[in-house]
Amino acid sequence: MAERKLLVLYGSQTGTAQDVAERIGREGKRRHFTCRVTALDHYTLADLIYEPLVMFVCSTTGQGESPDNMKHFWRFFFRRNLPANSLCLVDSAVLGLGDSSYPKFNFIAKKLRKRLVQLGSNPLMTLGLGDDQHELGPDAVIDPWLTEFWAKALKLYPLPQGVNELSDDVLLPSKYSFQFQDETNIDVPVQALDMNGRNGKPPSQVQPFHARVLSNRRVTDPSHFQDVRLMKFDIAGSGIEYSAGDVVMIEPRNSLESVQQFCQLLRLDPHSMFFLKPNDSATPLPARLPQPCTVQYMVERHLDINGVPRRSFFELLSHFSVDEMEQEKLKEFSSAKGQEELYSYCNRPRRTTLEVLFDFPHTTAIIPHDYLLDLIPEMRPRAFSIASSQQAHPDQLHILMAVVQYKTMLKKPRNGLCSNWLASLDPQQGEVRVPLWTKKGGLRFPTDAKTPAIMVGPGTGVAPFRAAIQERVAEGKQDNCLFFGSRGKSKDFFCQAEWEELTQKGCLTLFTAFSRDQENKIYVQHRIKENGPLLWDLLHNKCAFFYIAGNAKMMPTQVMDSLKSIFQSEGGLAVTEAEQLLRDLERAGRFQTETWS
């Protein structure tokens, strides 16, 4: 009988792929597979040829790029000298997680599956393409895809005689055991993860740099509905190097109020200390949790108690419930049939894990502490476009951040975890520091001094272009064209004085669109269309690069439509030729987008 081993490899920027991969690992264990779940870059690639069954779960970032934790794998996997039959003994399946509002939707998953076939792997399944834009989220694709996968996997790797699948009612062992300590008996202090000791390595998620906040200034009018901040950080001595288009990753913090509420609900002493012990030798300790650790540290900095819980949360929670009504509801939310109900209860109002725990008090009170890290995922860092140039500000890093606050059907307003925490930091009240590190972004700017750059950045989408313009001006590149849009000139014209000064110096050509300053709304796509002759000259005759950054909802598509219209009116191209030109520009790296939902 074929060896019943399942390897689940994931590549993810946000952690979603990891969550899905761990779910697949749990489902595999219920079918008595020996399962290993790990990030692609943490796996020894030479061992891949010996794996009987491999599942790849991966997302796509930026302009069709691989996530950070699969970059090494990606470079190795596409080496030309790999034999064509390398993976002829491997059965594989690929599940992509993406957002169809991006031009290169699930590009990495598509390319990976094609390469697996080239190397001789037997594809067990058609490619799965999860889509965040689906009204029920990626589960709308993942659920039926996994049902088919397990059916095919069990045909190839049948259960041993007399062995049955474990039902969903069986509680699997926890990943870790908590060993709480009497503080008086601990000689080893909690590791000081907040120290800025670099050990010769650049800052990273495992060891971020704790940057001092220099300023935290609101750049929208006090009467404006939206609070947008320009924050400046001191990175002197950090070893951080960044360029225009790069992003900064920031670790958020749960509020002290949330930490206290969570500890009260689960009857945890925030000051108690514990060691973590993996229950499986293949399970590594969490890299960002010290040993020993306090409950306060874990809840404040590690557990995503203010995130919207996923379906697996309700599934695991149902195992602990002894209250009949609560258990019934939890099981409904975790079933395939109950996904619309779950969406209405959880996703639509953006109900947090902490709020859900309040709604199921009988179950919450008896959650075994050993299952905390199975139940609640690790808090993910947030990415912000860097809004400054290191050439202009050598020891600083700036971000332009909208403070996320909105209302749903719930009485309590929804607040973005990281943006509200950052907005609350006041350097005038004393020294405050923020853990951060940088990584390469998706935007690449031309190196040739004579190549113009056309940048379309409404709202906070202008952040990476502020960095690019500062950098290009510092390098003597003066052919910069910026289209900026917002609601009103007096309300939210970010960096107005800076743009106007650069315009006067001849370093910037600026076009603005203030949608609410006149009866008919004017947006950046209208300004683009009005300036067709200029843009055609820059793109056609001067080989300009064209960039879009901002909200993915409607703006990017409308800007692209205006651009194609210019290709037709100024270049005399047919519709199909205009569309092909835009594709050609994208392929050449001269048309780039950075958008978010």
Side-chain angles (χ1 to χ4, degrees):
M1 180 182 292
E3 194 174 7
R4 304 188 77 258
K5 286 171 58 180
L6 170 63
L7 173 65
V8 188
L9 297 172
Y10 64 85
S12 175
Q13 201 79 350
T14 63
T16 305
Q18 180 180 351
D19 293 335
V20 173
E22 289 179 348
R23 169 189 167 184
I24 293 166
R26 290 192 298 271
E27 292 185 5
K29 288 177 181 178
R30 293 192 180 280
R31 291 158 176 84
H32 300 281
F33 282 93
T34 301
C35 294
R36 182 181 175 190
V37 179
T38 187
L40 276 154
D41 277 359
H42 293 165
Y43 177 75
T44 304
L45 291 173
D47 294 342
L48 196 60
I49 60 175
Y50 305 113
E51 301 288 352
L53 180 59
V54 184
M55 166 84 79
F56 295 87
V57 185
C58 51
S59 56
T60 300
T61 65
Q63 310 295 316
E65 297 171 352
S66 58
D68 286 350
N69 61 358
M70 68 180 289
K71 287 190 183 299
H72 174 69
F73 161 83
W74 199 249
R75 286 192 296 270
F76 178 87
F77 207 57
F78 282 86
R79 283 168 46 179
R80 292 183 179 180
N81 61 350
L82 293 180
N85 63 346
S86 301
L87 303 180
C88 62
L89 300 178
V90 179
D91 294 319
S92 64
V94 179
L95 176 59
L97 303 175
D99 185 324
S100 58
S101 67
Y102 281 77
K104 292 195 173 181
F105 171 59
N106 268 317
F107 177 79
I108 293 297
K110 294 170 184 175
K111 194 171 180 180
L112 174 59
R113 186 178 187 277
K114 185 177 179 180
R115 181 60 171 159
L116 284 164
V117 173
Q118 287 175 348
L119 294 176
S121 175
N122 171 44
L124 197 63
M125 290 283 295
T126 56
L127 178 62
L129 299 175
D131 186 5
D132 283 344
Q133 291 296 320
H134 193 284
E135 61 179 5
L136 297 179
D139 278 350
V141 169
I142 294 171
D143 286 349
W145 190 88
L146 279 178
T147 299
E148 186 181 348
F149 169 79
W150 290 121
K152 291 186 175 182
L154 288 172
K155 274 189 177 181
L156 276 177
Y157 303 90
L159 289 163
Q161 186 106 17
V163 175
N164 297 315
E165 290 183 29
L166 295 177
S167 75
D168 291 340
D169 295 329
V170 175
L171 178 62
L172 296 172
S174 63
K175 286 192 290 189
Y176 304 101
S177 293
F178 278 70
Q179 298 179 344
F180 286 94
Q181 308 291 312
D182 179 351
E183 271 190 270
T184 58
N185 294 332
I186 292 184
D187 296 325
V188 184
V190 174
Q191 292 174 11
L193 294 190
D194 287 353
M195 299 301 290
N196 279 331
R198 288 172 51 203
N199 299 326
K201 296 180 180 179
S204 64
Q205 184 169 7
V206 175
Q207 191 175 40
F209 179 77
H210 285 70
R212 183 167 59 91
V213 179
L214 295 172
S215 65
N216 186 355
R217 181 170 63 90
R218 178 170 175 147
V219 291
T220 47
D221 188 82
S223 65
H224 191 57
F225 79 100
Q226 189 174 47
D227 181 358
V228 176
R229 302 296 179 99
L230 179 64
M231 293 189 71
K232 300 180 179 181
F233 302 97
D234 180 4
I235 58 168
S238 66
I240 287 175
E241 295 181 358
Y242 66 86
S243 302
D246 289 351
V247 297
V248 60
M249 307 299 294
I250 294 179
E251 276 185 10
R253 294 279 187 270
N254 287 314
S255 69
L256 291 179
E257 179 187 7
S258 295
V259 172
Q260 290 168 357
Q261 290 175 345
F262 181 85
C263 290
Q264 288 171 1
L265 277 171
L266 275 80
R267 302 176 184 179
L268 286 163
D269 176 4
H271 304 294
S272 63
M273 280 189 169
F274 63 88
F275 285 93
L276 274 184
K277 181 183 177 183
N279 289 330
D280 184 331
S281 59
T283 302
L285 285 166
R288 291 172 53 232
L289 277 185
Q291 289 270 57
C293 184
T294 63
V295 169
Q296 169 91 23
Y297 188 103
M298 176 184 69
V299 180
E300 181 184 353
R301 307 186 188 203
H302 190 82
L303 297 182
D304 194 13
I305 60 175
N306 282 298
V308 177
R310 293 187 172 92
R311 177 174 159 186
S312 58
F313 171 87
F314 295 92
E315 179 187 355
L316 183 54
L317 201 58
S318 69
H319 285 284
F320 310 135
S321 187
V322 293
D323 181 273
E324 188 176 340
M325 289 182 64
E326 288 187 6
Q327 188 181 62
E328 184 181 342
K329 198 65 182 174
L330 289 166
K331 285 186 173 180
E332 180 188 356
F333 285 154
S334 61
S335 69
K337 293 180 179 178
Q339 289 314 287
E340 287 192 32
E341 281 291 315
L342 176 61
Y343 190 84
S344 296
Y345 167 72
C346 219
N347 298 74
R348 188 170 288 120
R350 310 299 295 171
R351 201 182 301 267
T352 69
T353 293
L354 186 57
E355 290 169 333
V356 171
L357 292 174
F358 270 108
D359 286 350
F360 294 87
H362 298 95
T363 306
T364 300
I366 58 172
I367 292 173
H369 297 152
D370 283 354
Y371 281 90
L372 281 177
L373 297 183
D374 296 82
L375 190 66
I376 303 172
E378 179 181 351
M379 197 155 42
R380 303 293 173 187
R382 272 46 171 187
F384 295 89
S385 294
I386 297 175
S388 58
S389 165
Q390 205 161 18
Q391 294 189 41
H393 304 280
D395 293 327
Q396 293 184 19
L397 185 152
H398 304 173
I399 62 171
L400 186 66
M401 173 194 73
V403 182
V404 179
Q405 295 174 329
Y406 58 97
K407 292 182 179 180
T408 66
M409 64 185 73
L410 301 179
K411 290 182 180 179
K412 187 178 178 181
R414 308 289 90 186
N415 293 323
L417 177 66
C418 192
S419 63
N420 280 269
W421 172 61
L422 289 173
S424 72
L425 303 178
D426 185 356
Q428 294 183 341
Q429 298 298 316
E431 184 177 294
V432 286
R433 291 181 177 266
V434 169
L436 54 79
W437 64 99
T438 60
K439 66 183 188 66
K440 286 294 172 189
L443 298 179
R444 301 285 187 272
F445 293 90
T447 55
D448 187 341
K450 295 181 180 179
T451 303
I454 304 163
M455 295 160 273
V456 183
T460 55
V462 79
F465 302 141
R466 181 176 185 259
I469 291 167
Q470 286 182 359
E471 191 164 288
R472 286 172 60 81
V473 169
E475 294 171 347
K477 300 171 184 173
Q478 299 196 348
D479 213 342
N480 307 299
C481 183
L482 175 65
F483 288 83
F484 174 79
S486 67
R487 290 196 168 211
K489 185 174 182 178
S490 64
K491 301 290 186 182
D492 55 350
F493 188 1
F494 309 144
C495 311
Q496 177 181 358
E498 189 173 338
W499 305 139
E500 290 176 348
E501 181 183 350
L502 289 171
T503 301
Q504 289 172 3
K505 290 180 177 179
C507 301
L508 178 68
T509 302
L510 176 67
F511 300 98
T512 55
F514 301 112
S515 61
R516 305 303 199 274
D517 281 358
Q518 61 285 310
E519 188 175 345
N520 296 322
K521 292 178 183 176
I522 297 175
Y523 297 107
V524 286
Q525 57 265 28
H526 299 130
R527 296 298 189 215
I528 287 168
K529 212 166 183 178
E530 290 169 5
N531 290 276
L534 170 66
L535 294 183
W536 176 252
D537 178 56
L538 290 172
L539 287 164
H540 183 66
N541 299 320
K542 297 181 180 178
C543 299
F545 281 50
F546 192 100
Y547 302 88
I548 304 173
N551 193 292
K553 193 173 182 182
M554 295 172 65
M555 180 272 296
T557 301
Q558 292 172 341
V559 167
M560 285 188 279
D561 287 343
S562 293
L563 204 53
K564 286 183 282 188
S565 175
I566 290 171
F567 296 163
Q568 295 171 63
S569 61
E570 302 301 323
L573 303 183
V575 174
T576 54
E577 291 173 324
E579 291 173 346
Q580 184 59 48
L581 176 55
L582 192 58
R583 286 194 291 269
D584 290 342
L585 289 173
E586 184 178 3
R587 195 174 294 113
R590 289 177 53 204
F591 176 81
Q592 300 176 36
T593 61
E594 183 175 90
T595 59
W596 54 86
S597 300

